[in-house]
C-alpha cells in the first residue's frame, strides 16, 4: 500500500493545508509550534510538545554516529524547523531543511535567526520528490511524518537514498497503515492528507532494501498513537473556547470531528508508527 497518486496532487493539498493560518494557529497553540509530529510519551498526561521533542531525540539517536561539526544532514518536510534546530544545536552539524510551505519556512528562518542558528541551517522551499541537491551530498537524511503526504512514496525514498553519501544514514517516522488494512478503512482519517492511502512498514522496508540500504529496521512505537491522539482530542476539546479566538469555526469543528477518528483508528489497531532506519553501504 503506497498511496500512489501523483506528486503534484499531494503537494498542492499539503501546501494549501500548511499555509493556512488556521492550521498554523492550531499547531502553535496545541502542539507548541516547534515539533509537529507524533510524540513518545513518558506518561499519558505529558504535554504534546514535550513528547514530540522526545521523538526528535530518539530519531537523532539513530543518526548520531554520522553527525558532528563536519557533517551535513537533510531534513525532508522540515515544517517549523524543530528537528533542524535540535540537530544543529546537539551536533553542531549543518542542516538543509527542505519544505513545501513558504509560510512555515518564513517562520522557520525567523526562529533560526532569533536563536543564533541561521548560520547552520539552510531553509529551502521545495519538494522531496525532486531534491535540489547532487548525488551523495549528505551524511544523513531524516524526516518526521512528511512522507504520508506524498503521492509517490517510491520516488521520495529514491531521492532520500540518492543524496546519501556512502555509509550515510537515513531515519524517518511516518503514520502508516497496519498490514492488510484496506484503504477504505482509513479513508475518513486520511482524507485531509491529499492521498488515497497510507504506506505500510513492509512497503518501506522492502523499498529501502531494493534501493540498497543495509541494516534496515523499524523501532515500533505504534502503542504511542492512542495516547497521542487522545491527548490532541482532549486538549482541543477542552480549549475550544480559547482556540475559537485564533482558529476559524469551520476548521475547529473539523478538528473536533477528525481527531477522534484518528484516535479510534489507532485504538482499533489500524495504524502503525515508529522510526524506520538504515544506512548506505
Amino acid at each position: 500500500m503506497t498511496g500512489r497518486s501523483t506528486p503534484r496532487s499531494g503537494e498542492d493539498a499539503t501546501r494549501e493545508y500548511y499555509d493556512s493560518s488556521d492550521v498554523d494557529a492550531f499547531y502553535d497553540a496545541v502542539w507548541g509550534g516547534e515539533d509537529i509530529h507524533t510524540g513518545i510519551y513518558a506518561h499519558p498526561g505529558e504535554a504534546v510538545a514535550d513528547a514530540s521533542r522526545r521523538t526528535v531525540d530518539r530519531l537523532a539517536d539513530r543518526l548520531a554516529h554520522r553527525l558532528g561539526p563536519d557533517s551535513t544532514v537533510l531534513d525532508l518536510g522540515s515544517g517549523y524547523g524543530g528537528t533542524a534546530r535540535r540537530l544543529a544545536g546537539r551536533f553542531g552539524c549543518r542542516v538543509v531543511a527542505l519544505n513545501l510551505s513558504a509560510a512555515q519556512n518564513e517562520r522557520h528562518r525567523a526562529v533560526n535567526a532569533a536563536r543564533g542558528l541561521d548560520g547552520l541551517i539552510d531553509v529551502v522551499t521545495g519538494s522531496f520528490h525532486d531534491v535540489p541537491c547532487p548525488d551523495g551530498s549528505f551524511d544523513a537524511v531524516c524526516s518526521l511524518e512528511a512522507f504520508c503526504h506524498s503521492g509517490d512514496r517510491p520516488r521520495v525514498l529514491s531521492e532520500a537514498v540518492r543524496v546519501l553519501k556512502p555509509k550515510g544514514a537515513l531515519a524517518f517516522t511516518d503514520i502508516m497503515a497496519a498490514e492488510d488494512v484496506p484503504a477504505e478503512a482509513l479513508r475518513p482519517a486520511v482524507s485531509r492528507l491529499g492521498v488515497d492511502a497510507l504506506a505500510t512498514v513492509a512497503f518501506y522496508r522492502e523499498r529501502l532494501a531494493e534501493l540498497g540500504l543495509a541494516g534496515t529496521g523499524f523501532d515500533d512505537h505504534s502503542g504511542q498513537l492512542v495516547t497521542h491522539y487522545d491527548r490532541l482530542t482532549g486538549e482541543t476539546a477542552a480549549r475550544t473556547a480559547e482556540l475559537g479566538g485564533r482558529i476559524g469555526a469551520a476548521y475547529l469543528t473539523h478538528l473536533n470531528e477528525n481527531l477522534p477518528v484518528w484516535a479510534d483508528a489507532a485504538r482499533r489497531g489500524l495504524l502503525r508508527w515508529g522510526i524506520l532506519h538504515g544506512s548506505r553501504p
Side-chain angles (χ1 to χ4, degrees), residues 106-158:
E106 182 178 353
R107 176 171 171 168
H108 185 172
R109 293 186 187 99
V111 176
N112 292 347
R115 298 186 188 177
L117 291 170
D118 49 326
L120 288 176
I121 303 171
D122 183 16
V123 182
V124 178
T125 301
S127 168
F128 51 32
H129 295 110
D130 295 290
V131 177
C133 302
D135 296 357
S137 299
F138 297 97
D139 299 280
V141 174
C142 69
S143 181
L144 286 103
E145 274 142 65
F147 296 170
C148 56
H149 293 284
S150 173
D152 190 350
R153 295 183 190 113
R155 184 169 171 176
V156 175
L157 296 180
S158 294

Side-chain angles (χ1 to χ4, degrees), residues 35-50:
D35 303 299
I36 52 173
H37 40 258
T38 303
I40 295 176
Y41 291 79
H43 55 84
E46 186 173 24
V48 176
D50 292 343

Side-chain angles (χ1 to χ4, degrees), residues 20 30 67 130 150 168 207 226 261 269:
S20 162
V30 176
L67 297 183
D130 295 290
S150 173
R207 183 60 182 163
V226 173
V261 172

Side-chain angles (χ1 to χ4, degrees), residues 3 34 47 63 66 79 90 123 142 160 165 207 212:
E34 184 86 4
L63 303 175
R66 293 295 299 165
R90 176 174 167 181
V123 182
C142 69
K165 295 178 181 179
R207 183 60 182 163

Side-chain angles (χ1 to χ4, degrees), residues 72-108:
T72 304
V73 58
L74 172 65
D75 182 8
L76 296 172
S78 53
Y80 294 118
T83 299
R85 286 187 288 274
R86 190 68 162 180
L87 293 174
R90 176 174 167 181
F91 299 103
C93 58
R94 300 190 63 83
V95 183
V96 174
L98 183 68
N99 195 53
L100 273 177
S101 170
Q104 287 185 335
N105 292 346
E106 182 178 353
R107 176 171 171 168
H108 185 172

Side-chain angles (χ1 to χ4, degrees), residues 171-270:
F172 65 93
T173 68
D174 204 25
I175 299 289
M176 295 165 284
E179 306 298 332
D180 300 321
V181 170
E184 293 75 18
L186 290 170
R187 194 150 287 140
V190 305
S191 59
R192 74 165 180 81
L193 300 179
V195 297
D196 296 324
L198 299 175
T200 64
V201 175
F203 163 77
Y204 278 134
R205 295 190 71 173
E206 289 167 7
R207 183 60 182 163
L208 291 174
E210 290 170 1
L211 291 168
L213 253 62
T216 58
F218 175 56
D219 302 336
D220 191 350
H221 297 293
S222 300
Q224 295 288 337
L225 288 168
V226 173
T227 300
H228 182 70
Y229 283 110
D230 278 349
R231 286 289 293 113
L232 290 179
T233 300
E235 188 86 358
T236 303
R239 297 172 60 187
T240 293
E242 170 201 340
L243 293 172
R246 302 181 59 183
I247 298 173
Y251 182 63
L252 192 53
T253 298
H254 169 73
L255 286 172
N256 282 318
E257 292 173 349
N258 185 251
L259 288 172
V261 172
W262 283 95
D264 178 67
R267 195 167 281 108
R268 291 163 56 201
L270 303 182

